[in-house]
Amino acid sequence: MSAAKKEYKKITVKSLVDMKKNGEKISMLTAYDFTMAKILDGAGIDVLLVGDSASNVMAGHETTLPITLDQMIYHASSVVRAINRCLVVVDLPFGSYQSDPKEALRSAIRIMKESGGHSIKLEGGKEVKESIKRILHAGIPVMGHLGLTPQSIYKFGTYTVRAKEEEEAEKLMEDALMLERIGCFALVLEKVPAKLAQKVAEAISIPVIGIGAGNGVDGQVLVTHDMIGMTHEFHPRFLRRYLDLYKDMTGAFETYIDDVKSGDFPNEKEQY
């Protein structure tokens, strides 16, 4: 039996921990612009991730690596101006935190000050521990990210499922426990076996948000443009398409073009 859903006027990092304790699943989607964020917030989404996936979705890059800190701040600022209720998490982009904890802190501070975001997310475990600790000591909430970490795609060489082998699965569990211990408020697990993801979620007290990590975790995240079908070439097993906007939008655009060409638009009621 599912737990009674509590009404939250404003979602905070504490709200997410409470939701896990109460057995309420956490809903999370991506947003990169004002208009989409306003719709998502109005629909009641719990968390909006201003993801570095903007590099793919908004800019057309093959990977998430090219997007810059300035560009992430631009997207995050647009999202923050739209929301009233949900929590906004902003990705630290590749190159803004890996090499130096001081640089990581500077990057996180810029995001918080210049975008108004509520928290940041970064990829990795013990290898970025000092960067995470430096950011947390400054009072900035941090969401971790383990499993498939797209910023390391050239290291992996593939977007396949991670932690299928025992050694990598053990490291993932160790990293998850470490991230909880040093103070992260939540954790994203991407493309890992469902049994392992559930084991992690049961082992730590902070919420675990899955993407391609099964249903035994505390919440789910998808890229909004994928789940509403604006993209159509991407078909991973974990993706459920709730709309086919690619088809609907193409039809609408074609009809508009025909109406303009034929002179049907604008008609007498549509002019001054």
Side-chain angles (χ1 to χ4, degrees):
M1 182 180 292
S2 61
K5 182 178 178 182
K6 179 180 175 180
E7 293 297 326
Y8 293 93
K9 290 184 179 179
K10 187 75 174 177
I11 302 292
T12 65
V13 295
K14 184 182 182 300
S15 306
L16 301 188
V17 176
D18 290 342
M19 289 166 80
K20 172 163 182 159
K21 288 179 181 177
N22 297 331
E24 180 181 346
K25 297 282 190 177
I26 297 163
S27 61
M28 180 169 164
L29 286 167
T30 60
Y32 317 108
D33 68 274
F34 176 89
T35 303
M36 186 71 79
K38 195 167 186 65
I39 295 170
L40 288 162
D41 185 63
I45 199 74
D46 295 317
V47 184
L48 282 181
L49 172 63
V50 185
D52 58 3
S53 48
S55 179
N56 314 108
V57 176
M58 305 302 286
H61 293 296
E62 184 180 3
T63 72
T64 62
L65 293 138
I67 198 164
T68 67
L69 183 60
D70 285 340
Q71 289 167 335
M72 287 302 303
I73 290 169
Y74 167 80
H75 286 294
S77 300
S78 301
V79 168
V80 168
R81 284 192 288 270
I83 62 99
N84 291 308
R85 175 184 176 273
C86 68
L87 181 79
V88 177
V89 182
V90 185
D91 269 338
L92 280 180
F94 177 74
S96 68
Y97 64 93
Q98 288 94 339
S99 63
D100 176 13
K102 291 182 180 179
E103 182 183 15
L105 177 58
R106 286 193 294 269
S107 300
I109 287 174
R110 280 200 63 200
I111 283 177
M112 299 296 283
K113 286 177 69 70
E114 296 178 37
S115 78
H118 307 137
S119 57
I120 62 97
K121 180 172 77 65
L122 52 77
E123 298 179 1
K126 65 179 182 180
E127 61 274 13
V128 291
K129 177 181 177 181
E130 295 308 313
S131 290
I132 296 172
K133 287 173 66 176
R134 185 68 66 101
I135 295 167
L136 287 168
H137 287 165
I140 298 171
V142 176
M143 176 180 282
H145 184 147
L146 299 173
L148 177 65
T149 48
Q151 290 180 10
S152 302
I153 186 56
Y154 290 124
K155 171 185 170 184
F156 294 142
T158 175
Y159 286 102
T160 191
V161 175
R162 304 305 311 171
K164 290 190 290 185
E165 303 300 326
E166 184 176 352
E167 183 178 354
E168 190 177 351
E170 287 178 359
K171 182 184 183 304
L172 188 145
M173 177 63 80
E174 290 172 2
D175 280 340
L177 291 167
M178 181 272 295
L179 291 172
E180 175 193 30
R181 186 172 63 253
I182 65 175
C184 289
F185 74 88
L187 171 64
V188 169
L189 286 183
E190 182 169 357
K191 289 192 83 170
V192 300
K195 288 183 179 179
L196 174 61
Q198 182 172 350
K199 187 178 177 182
V200 171
E202 291 172 350
I204 63 178
S205 61
I206 61 175
V208 176
I209 312 297
I211 176 167
N215 200 31
V217 293
D218 305 302
Q220 301 293 330
V221 59
L222 288 173
V223 172
T224 298
H225 290 65
D226 294 337
M227 62 85 71
I228 62 176
M230 288 183 74
T231 58
H232 68 292
E233 299 99 344
F234 187 54
H235 300 286
R237 182 189 300 186
F238 64 78
L239 175 60
R240 180 183 295 183
R241 282 199 162 87
Y242 287 80
L243 290 170
D244 187 359
L245 283 190
Y246 182 87
K247 179 181 177 182
D248 292 344
M249 292 171 72
T250 300
F253 298 148
E254 289 173 346
T255 300
Y256 169 76
I257 293 165
D258 289 343
D259 288 350
V260 171
K261 298 287 187 182
S262 69
D264 181 69
F265 176 79
N267 61 31
E268 289 186 6
K269 294 181 180 180
E270 295 163 334
Q271 51 191 318
Y272 297 98

